[in-house]
Amino acid sequence: MGIRFVLMVNKQGQTRLAQYYEYLTIEERRALEGEIVRKCLARTEQQCSFVEHRNYKIVYRRYASLFFLVGVDDDENELAILEFIHLLVETMDRHFGNVCELDIMFHLEKAHFMLEEMVMNGCVVETSKSNILTPIQLMDKAS
Amino acid sequence: MGSQGGFGQSKEFLDLVKSIGEARSKAEEDRIVLNEIETLKRRIIEPDIPKRKMKEYIIRLVYVEMLGHDASFGYIHAVKMTHDDNIVLKRTGYLAVTLFLNEDHDLIILIVNTIQKDLKSDNYLVVCAALNAVCRLINEETIPAVLPQVIELLGHSKEAVRKKAIMALHRFHQKSPSSVSHLISNFRKRLCDNDPGVMGATLCPLFDLISNDVNSYKDLVISFVSILKQVAERRLPKSYDYHQMPAPFIQIKLLKILALLGSGDKQASENMYTVISDIIRKGDSSSNIGNAILYDSICCAASIYPNPKLIEAAADVVAKFLKSDTHNLKYMGIDALGRLIKLSPQIAEQHQLAVIDCLEDPDDTLKRKTFKLLYKMTKSSNVEVIVDRMIEYMISISDDHYKTYIASRCVELAEQFAPSNHWFIQTMNKVFEHAGDLVNVKVAHNLMRLIAEGFGEDDDAADSQLRSSAVESYLRIIGEPKLPSVFLQVICWVLGEYGTADGKHSASYISGKLCDVAEAYSDDVTVKAYATSALMKIYAFEMAAGRKVDLLPECQTLIEEMLASHSTDLQQRAYELQALTGLDRQAVEAIMPQDASCEDIEVDKNLSFLNDYVQQSIERGAQPYIPEDVRAGMGEMSNFRGQDKHEPSHHVLRFEAYELPKAPPPSKAAPVSIASSTDLVPVPEALYSRESQQISSAASASEAGSSGLKLRLDGVQKKWGKPTYSSPTPSSTSESSSQKPVNGMTQVNGASAVNSRVRESYDSRKAPVEISPEKQKLAGLLFGGSSKPERKSSAGHKAPKANASAADRSQESKTAGASNEAVAEKTNHQPPPDLLDLGEPTVTTDPPSVVDPFKQLEGLLDSSPGPTIDHSAGATAKVPDIMSLYGGTTTGEQSTSGGYSIPVSGEGNLLSGLSNAAAGGAPGEMTFTSSQSVKGPNAKDSLEKDALVRQLGVNPSSQNPNLFKDLLG
């Protein structure tokens, strides 16, 4: 299935966006997010951007105060996921212009829409920024 | 505040976000959210809420759930919002619903109807929104409700719709393969969709299908190879480029698919060699994404039918990974090495020091990956070092999940490669001691069996030596507090069986220890049971040897306590022990023969030894036994062979539960055991049968060779104990100190020497080698086996040689790669975000070097008429045509069409063109770093945003609101 979840968490450990591709209850999510964030926050910049947690492999990347964490299956290519995160950030950056944590907070639904365009059923299905953003721009015009 | 209005949201929403952003603790955040829940509960049911307001409420609900609270009171409003005609509201509604509900939620039924309607909409955005929801919310039961429409949408004129429709079908296949089994051909069809996005998405379901059933898709090998070739040759629209890499995510997916298809299939693999080696050769090792592709190329090369040249090329890339300074690449390198090692084990040798560096790295992730590699390369010559390392690490961590994993790995390796039984026992002791409760019980039973059976050769002295060393080690360990239950069971069993065998320890000493165990772990019934049985054996052996037995007072109290135990198992054991102490020597010898745990128990199912007794009883007038079947039939009463049976009704229970362990009792003992058995029938069988092996009997008292034991035991300790795990301990301390200098050196190297990095970095590796003989030793142990110095030097020669040969082969690309690597290092330290916005400008600078293919392709990007003609032809023709569409053989139309496909003959030129491009990559990146400073307007933006942030008071701690600026600064 590949990607199991995408999380954005700031360095205080507060969740800013969460998208799960398998169902977990709210309690399970809360516990999982807490554990993962604690693990990733404890790591230094020199260490790998990958952490094993239970049955997940977490690939994470930090942008300023915001951590992007992607939980994947064991057979996923970690470097590719790392770049997928960056592609997501680049895409948001193109849309918001110098994207920051606040953009995501104020436009939570748009960040979700972008992710919806990029990932379906836990697979990366779209990597062309223009294709990802077209529907979102069209909706902006419609509203 | 003008820009705040630009966000287009109400003051209330802004305040909420602001307060959440400002929350300093989880508790504070929870308070805010709970408050919000109350507000929303009140507001959301008000009549006539404007739609925009409602959308905002829904997003606030999303916040509530995201922050870990229940928002189920508002679900229904999200469902209602999906009915809205406005696409923004509708999609927000769908989004909220997919975030809130799982596919089995009751409300789903209300949405299915809306989805059905939306799938028919004229507005493709509405259709897409509905398809998104289909992928998240449709379960097995509701598939039929939307399936026909989804199938219809596969032919929709909008590529975005086709893409989502194929993913919906993928989802159905995941959920219920049978429901779409007749529609599988659609995936093949969509593979030749004229939109690369649809094609790329289709690779996901195809990957799943192929991993389930490789053989049905062998015919697609040529198509996949051809697509991969075209992608690598930049035939896809430039919007799919990522950091100047042509559609890297599609390339990776294709490589994964090829790895599956080529596994163990020489014919299929032969089609792949060219394209994979091209990708490796042209690979850009200066960027993460380039390395990601290289990594999957290696995986593919390792998975398909091996090709020596390809493996050599892959090994060179692995070498590059391992020599890198970034942990991520080392990690990938270790993983890739683990894949290649299966094909050519000698590859590991030249990387031994790199591997050891990774093993000793404080980074857990890297360390664990390295353990996985070591696990793969374990042989009987290096098993001791590897397992000792694993155990050392296992002791140091607290993560139960991983502890279990690594403990089972240790056990597996030890069982498979143990150089000696002594070592095996020592190793098992350590595993049990530190991860006992996480280890499978079977492992404990195996260990007991090994101690009992010994070497398997008829070397009694060695066996008894093994046993007494086990006893010694257990007596040492037994005093430790809080031992795991499984381990205690092993200890008790071994002490009972062999505690007094060598005559070194007195029965009262051993039984004292056993009583201590039973007392210390009085909550653990199983341990107690093992201890009791062990006590029984000790006393039995004493009595059999003709010595007088005095029960220790603590033993006496233990027995008394257990006689009244709630556990019937313990009761039975206590009674047995009590009964045994009252027997004479001969009976005891028969019941509890010494060292008989391995003897086969011969169960005399006919109980012929009772014949006399039965006969006597019958003569005295007892009723003869009537077998059950006869009794049921009531027919031939004459036919009873029941004479050999005794007391029909208890037969099953009694003999299962009791007779087994004491099977071959000679005539005298028999009545006793049976008599007691009637009292103790209700023994839990599972418990008992587990124990049965140890009480088993049949005479053969093996010799306890006590002479010279001490001396030899010491030898053993030194051999297995000291060098293996006592020497690593000093090295681990020196490790941490030596670690830093090593890292420091390589880093300095990377910074100062940009030009000839390869050699330099090799030297820098060499330096620490001379410094730390410990590492050298470890390397020798891990990779070299016995002849350490020789191996070392040979390995030393090998590395430069490999470099030289690599340089010969592709000097240009290598130097380019080297400088690229240096750039990569820099960019890696200052994270890549700078790459933003660069994609396009730099790409435009690139084309001059790669003129032809690009120009040809440009048409495709804009979905020009040329390619569409080509593809529509392919689409009408069905499956078999995929081949012709993508196949390199039917070159005629394709070369002219400028679609994905390209004539094979053109390959040479294109390749050289591309390698030029790769060489030009480094300057390209340079320009982009410089272009960073040109980001004028962006800086302004960020300042504005910064001002806004300050106004809002959100995140006052972060001085810099711009994600990317921040990183650059």
Side-chain angles (χ1 to χ4, degrees):
Chain A
M1 150 133 164
I3 298 176
R4 311 275 212 95
F5 57 79
V6 176
L7 287 178
M8 298 179 200
V9 181
N10 72 7
K11 62 173 183 244
Q12 282 90 39
Q14 298 163 315
T15 310
R16 290 297 170 243
L17 182 145
Q19 178 82 263
Y20 289 82
Y21 299 97
E22 62 192 342
Y23 184 75
L24 295 179
T25 64
I26 294 177
E27 291 73 30
E28 287 166 338
R29 292 176 187 200
R30 209 175 161 149
L32 182 71
E33 285 166 26
E35 290 164 22
I36 293 174
V37 170
R38 232 172 294 131
K39 249 188 194 173
C40 292
L41 283 174
R43 295 175 66 81
T44 66
E45 299 236 346
Q46 283 75 42
Q47 292 181 325
C48 290
S49 315
F50 325 126
V51 189
E52 282 178 20
H53 182 73
R54 298 201 215 157
N55 300 320
Y56 302 110
K57 228 161 35 180
I58 317 287
V59 179
Y60 67 95
R61 199 158 179 163
R62 187 182 160 172
Y63 293 94
S65 61
L66 207 55
F67 282 86
F68 287 66
L69 307 125
V70 179
V72 295
D73 282 337
D74 201 43
D75 49 4
E76 207 64 27
N77 178 339
E78 291 90 342
L79 279 182
I81 296 295
L82 203 58
E83 290 311 286
F84 161 77
I85 294 176
H86 192 65
L87 176 66
L88 172 64
V89 175
E90 281 183 2
T91 309
M92 291 198 294
D93 193 68
R94 181 182 286 191
H95 184 77
F96 293 117
N98 287 310
V99 64
C100 67
E101 191 178 331
L102 265 190
D103 288 317
I104 296 165
M105 292 185 78
F106 281 126
H107 301 280
L108 188 61
E109 79 280 13
K110 278 188 193 159
H112 270 294
F113 292 159
M114 286 178 212
L115 208 48
E116 277 185 343
E117 296 299 320
M118 294 175 78
V119 182
M120 292 179 87
N121 306 343
C123 305
V124 177
V125 294
E126 186 57 79
T127 54
S128 151
K129 277 175 220 140
S130 54
N131 285 2
I132 297 166
L133 291 176
T134 306
I136 292 153
Q137 285 155 356
L138 285 175
M139 278 194 290
D140 275 354
K141 272 184 212 155
S143 66
Chain B
M1 279 294 181
S3 53
Q4 187 181 332
F7 284 123
Q9 280 128 342
S10 76
K11 175 90 170 61
E12 217 178 24
F13 182 73
L14 295 179
D15 285 344
L16 171 69
V17 171
K18 185 180 145 192
S19 61
I20 291 173
E22 278 173 346
R24 284 277 149 264
S25 66
K26 192 74 194 157
E28 193 182 338
E29 187 187 273
D30 283 345
R31 223 168 20 247
I32 296 165
V33 175
L34 288 173
N35 216 0
E36 175 68 11
I37 291 174
E38 289 313 309
T39 319
L40 283 175
K41 270 186 183 163
R42 248 183 298 117
R43 296 283 200 78
I44 211 160
I45 49 169
E46 283 170 8
D48 302 328
I49 301 172
K51 283 177 179 175
R52 303 221 141 265
K53 193 82 197 158
M54 197 60 185
K55 179 191 164 205
E56 202 180 285
Y57 287 154
I58 298 294
I59 292 171
R60 284 156 75 172
L61 285 173
V62 172
Y63 259 103
V64 168
E65 287 234 326
M66 183 174 82
L67 297 174
H69 297 265
D70 177 47
S72 54
F73 64 89
Y75 288 176
I76 188 68
H77 299 281
V79 172
K80 272 193 211 152
M81 187 163 267
T82 62
H83 302 330
D84 203 286
D85 291 333
N86 182 314
I87 172 65
V88 179
L89 299 186
K90 185 184 278 293
R91 184 144 186 200
T92 307
Y94 274 129
L95 171 70
V97 171
T98 56
L99 291 173
F100 292 151
L101 307 182
N102 69 339
E103 55 187 30
D104 298 320
H105 198 279
D106 293 340
L107 288 174
I108 296 290
I109 205 71
L110 294 177
I111 301 166
V112 171
N113 205 10
T114 322
I115 289 179
Q116 280 179 320
K117 211 176 77 216
D118 288 344
L119 287 177
K120 290 184 195 137
S121 167
D122 293 336
N123 184 344
Y124 91 96
L125 291 175
V126 172
V127 181
C128 284
L131 283 170
N132 276 337
V134 166
C135 283
R136 304 292 296 266
L137 299 175
I138 294 296
N139 63 15
E140 204 173 337
E141 284 163 35
T142 38
I143 287 175
V146 293
L147 186 57
Q149 281 162 311
V150 169
I151 296 300
E152 206 176 298
L153 291 172
L154 287 173
H156 197 274
S157 61
K158 273 286 180 189
E159 60 278 357
V161 175
R162 291 199 301 275
K163 183 176 63 194
K164 286 181 191 288
I166 205 80
M167 291 315 284
L169 197 58
H170 176 215
R171 174 71 170 177
F172 299 159
H173 184 260
Q174 283 178 335
K175 285 280 143 195
S176 153
S178 60
S179 67
V180 292
S181 55
H182 57 295
L183 298 163
I184 295 297
S185 64
N186 281 296
F187 294 120
R188 285 165 169 266
K189 244 185 267 172
R190 281 302 127 211
L191 183 63
C192 48
D193 195 286
N194 60 3
D195 180 78
V198 181
M199 182 274 290
T202 310
L203 297 176
C204 303
L206 280 173
F207 176 80
D208 285 2
L209 287 169
I210 293 170
S211 38
N212 289 337
D213 173 18
V214 183
N215 290 326
S216 309
Y217 295 88
K218 294 282 187 188
D219 58 317
L220 288 180
V221 169
I222 293 175
S223 311
F224 286 127
V225 168
S226 161
I227 296 172
L228 179 55
K229 188 185 275 173
Q230 291 162 53
V231 173
E233 286 168 0
R234 300 180 176 272
R235 303 223 146 213
L236 287 195
K238 252 188 259 143
S239 67
Y240 284 92
D241 282 9
Y242 174 80
H243 296 185
Q244 288 113 54
M245 267 292 157
F249 296 95
I250 291 178
Q251 284 194 49
I252 286 168
K253 203 82 203 176
L254 282 164
L255 284 166
K256 281 190 193 296
I257 289 176
L258 290 183
L260 290 176
L261 286 169
S263 172
D265 183 339
K266 191 174 180 191
Q267 206 191 339
S269 303
E270 272 164 1
N271 291 311
M272 305 171 188
Y273 293 148
T274 321
V275 70
I276 297 170
S277 64
D278 283 354
I279 289 176
I280 293 181
R281 186 152 37 86
K282 291 180 291 183
D284 166 24
S285 56
S286 66
S287 66
N288 263 342
I289 195 65
N291 286 321
I293 295 174
L294 282 172
Y295 166 78
D296 255 313
S297 313
I298 301 170
C299 295
C300 187
S303 161
I304 63 178
Y305 190 87
N307 170 304
K309 274 191 182 165
L310 202 52
I311 288 173
E312 201 181 313
D316 288 345
V317 180
V318 169
K320 237 186 261 175
F321 283 0
L322 287 173
K323 282 175 190 148
S324 156
D325 284 336
T326 62
H327 276 54
N328 286 350
L329 277 190
K330 280 188 189 166
Y331 174 94
M332 301 309 270
I334 293 279
D335 182 279
L337 186 59
R339 290 164 193 268
L340 286 181
I341 225 168
K342 274 180 265 168
L343 302 171
S344 61
Q346 72 278 6
I347 292 177
E349 241 165 66
Q350 50 179 299
H351 300 303
Q352 35 185 299
L353 293 169
V355 170
I356 289 167
D357 278 346
C358 293
L359 184 64
E360 296 183 343
D361 199 280
D363 184 348
D364 264 353
T365 309
L366 200 51
K367 204 175 242 177
R368 290 178 185 190
K369 199 70 180 177
T370 314
F371 276 126
K372 273 185 195 160
L373 170 68
L374 292 182
Y375 169 77
K376 283 184 196 157
M377 48 181 256
T378 306
K379 302 173 285 209
S380 45
S381 62
N382 59 12
V383 64
E384 296 157 48
V385 197
I386 289 177
V387 170
D388 275 331
R389 281 281 165 154
M390 285 182 169
I391 290 175
E392 202 178 289
Y393 180 63
M394 184 185 81
I395 294 170
S396 73
I397 57 172
S398 56
D399 170 1
D400 272 1
H401 186 82
Y402 194 72
K403 222 173 191 168
T404 314
Y405 170 82
I406 201 161
S408 70
R409 286 264 150 125
C410 285
V411 171
E412 203 181 312
L413 289 179
E415 281 178 351
Q416 215 176 329
F417 297 108
S420 73
N421 284 347
H422 286 289
W423 178 82
F424 181 75
I425 286 172
Q426 297 291 341
T427 306
M428 287 297 115
N429 284 356
K430 275 184 267 174
V431 173
F432 277 123
E433 195 176 341
H434 299 287
D437 291 327
L438 305 169
V439 181
N440 194 319
V441 192
K442 267 190 200 150
V443 176
H445 293 173
N446 275 348
L447 178 57
M448 290 189 247
R449 184 160 10 102
L450 183 101
I451 294 177
E453 284 175 355
F455 285 86
E457 302 138 25
D458 287 326
D459 187 353
D460 280 350
D463 285 358
S464 54
Q465 191 197 348
L466 164 76
R467 287 164 194 156
S468 30
S469 83
V471 168
E472 287 302 321
S473 66
Y474 292 153
L475 283 175
R476 234 185 350 257
I477 292 169
I478 204 169
E480 309 257 319
K482 288 209 173 168
L483 290 171
S485 172
V486 187
F487 190 35
L488 283 165
Q489 291 164 29
V490 176
I491 292 179
C492 288
W493 186 82
V494 172
L495 288 184
E497 201 74 31
Y498 304 110
T500 54
D502 61 6
K504 227 169 115 191
H505 301 285
S506 71
S508 64
Y509 177 72
I510 302 282
S511 51
K513 289 281 184 192
L514 287 167
C515 288
D516 290 347
V517 170
E519 200 182 333
Y521 299 87
S522 56
D523 293 342
D524 191 332
V525 176
T526 322
V527 169
K528 249 177 157 176
Y530 270 82
T532 318
S533 293
L535 280 171
M536 179 150 66
K537 278 183 243 173
I538 296 285
Y539 288 127
F541 299 158
E542 281 301 289
M543 287 159 78
R547 285 187 280 268
K548 196 179 171 308
V549 172
D550 295 312
L551 283 190
L552 294 176
E554 61 253 49
C555 183
Q556 199 65 56
T557 43
L558 181 72
I559 292 174
E560 271 158 27
E561 178 209 330
M562 281 193 299
L563 286 174
S565 169
H566 288 301
S567 156
T568 46
D569 179 51
L570 283 185
Q571 268 191 36
Q572 171 171 356
R573 284 169 206 263
Y575 275 113
E576 281 173 2
L577 178 50
Q578 213 173 32
L580 184 119
T581 51
L583 292 175
D584 63 54
R585 180 176 165 182
Q586 263 180 320
V588 170
E589 221 165 29
I591 299 168
M592 281 286 175
Q594 242 184 358
D595 190 29
S597 59
C598 300
E599 303 300 324
D600 288 331
I601 303 166
E602 283 173 34
V603 180
D604 183 354
K605 285 194 173 150
N606 291 325
L607 307 180
S608 54
F609 53 88
L610 286 175
N611 283 354
D612 286 347
Y613 177 76
V614 173
Q615 203 58 45
Q616 275 172 25
S617 306
I618 291 177
E619 274 163 18
R620 263 184 256 125
Q623 288 273 321
Y625 172 69
I626 308 166
E628 205 172 358
D629 47 332
V630 178
R631 251 178 297 145
M634 274 311 277
E636 313 100 311
M637 291 284 279
S638 60
N639 201 12
F640 56 79
R641 287 148 297 154
Q643 276 165 337
D644 47 3
K645 310 255 170 170
H646 179 71
E647 295 210 23
S649 58
H650 297 292
H651 152 239
V652 179
L653 262 180
R654 180 187 305 155
F655 291 121
E656 286 296 298
Y658 192 78
E659 193 58 26
L660 221 98
K662 308 202 166 183
S667 53
K668 217 174 176 189
V672 178
S673 63
I674 284 180
S676 57
S677 83
T678 38
D679 287 334
L680 300 165
V681 171
V683 178
E685 267 182 51
L687 263 178
Y688 201 74
S689 64
R690 195 197 293 170
E691 181 68 352
S692 67
Q693 80 183 87
Q694 59 176 359
I695 320 176
S696 63
S697 50
S700 114
S702 101
E703 256 314 296
S706 56
S707 63
L709 247 182
K710 262 187 189 168
L711 269 177
R712 291 184 71 177
L713 190 61
D714 282 352
V716 168
Q717 289 293 26
K718 236 172 228 165
K719 202 171 175 188
W720 308 117
K722 261 191 184 166
T724 47
Y725 59 106
S726 70
S727 84
T729 354
S731 84
S732 75
T733 46
S734 69
E735 207 176 287
S736 50
S737 55
S738 73
Q739 192 75 44
K740 277 167 197 164
V742 173
N743 275 348
M745 275 196 88
T746 46
Q747 259 175 20
V748 169
N749 244 316
S752 65
V754 177
N755 285 334
S756 56
R757 246 197 105 261
V758 182
R759 199 189 289 170
E760 285 267 351
S761 73
Y762 177 66
D763 287 344
S764 78
R765 294 251 164 240
K766 231 179 164 183
V769 176
E770 279 147 22
I771 294 168
S772 68
E774 252 130 37
K775 235 177 230 177
Q776 225 169 13
K777 199 162 124 201
L778 179 58
L781 287 169
L782 277 177
F783 298 87
S786 52
S787 58
K788 286 169 220 164
E790 269 177 43
R791 294 278 182 141
K792 185 95 339 99
S793 62
S794 77
H797 285 302
K798 243 175 201 168
K801 217 187 267 174
N803 280 340
S805 65
D808 280 346
R809 249 181 292 112
S810 59
Q811 223 165 4
E812 297 166 72
S813 70
K814 194 111 205 202
T815 44
S819 58
N820 278 357
E821 247 178 57
V823 176
E825 245 71 86
K826 277 183 191 164
T827 49
N828 257 319
H829 288 304
Q830 289 181 359
D834 359 339
L835 301 188
L836 288 177
D837 307 339
L838 274 170
E840 275 164 300
T842 35
V843 169
T844 46
T845 60
D846 260 4
S849 61
V850 210
V851 185
D852 286 18
F854 265 69
K855 278 209 170 145
Q856 268 188 345
L857 285 168
E858 227 121 5
L860 225 195
L861 311 188
D862 313 323
S863 71
S864 72
T868 26
I869 293 162
D870 181 18
H871 285 291
S872 59
T876 46
K878 282 195 176 176
V879 186
D881 283 339
I882 305 167
M883 311 267 284
S884 69
L885 230 190
Y886 289 104
T889 42
T890 56
T891 44
E893 47 161 316
Q894 279 139 4
S895 55
T896 52
S897 75
Y900 297 149
S901 39
I902 186 175
V904 185
S905 58
E907 192 186 310
N909 281 336
L910 281 168
L911 289 184
S912 61
L914 273 169
S915 63
N916 276 346
E925 298 230 335
M926 294 304 210
T927 53
F928 109 65
T929 28
S930 61
S931 81
Q932 190 56 41
S933 56
V934 194
K935 253 188 160 184
N938 286 349
K940 215 181 233 172
D941 280 357
S942 64
L943 276 178
E944 274 172 24
K945 228 168 231 178
D946 194 18
L948 170 62
V949 174
R950 274 158 215 271
Q951 273 176 331
L952 285 172
V954 179
N955 260 347
S957 63
S958 74
Q959 325 85 314
N960 207 333
N962 180 336
L963 287 179
F964 306 105
K965 270 282 155 212
D966 203 23
L967 281 166
L968 289 167

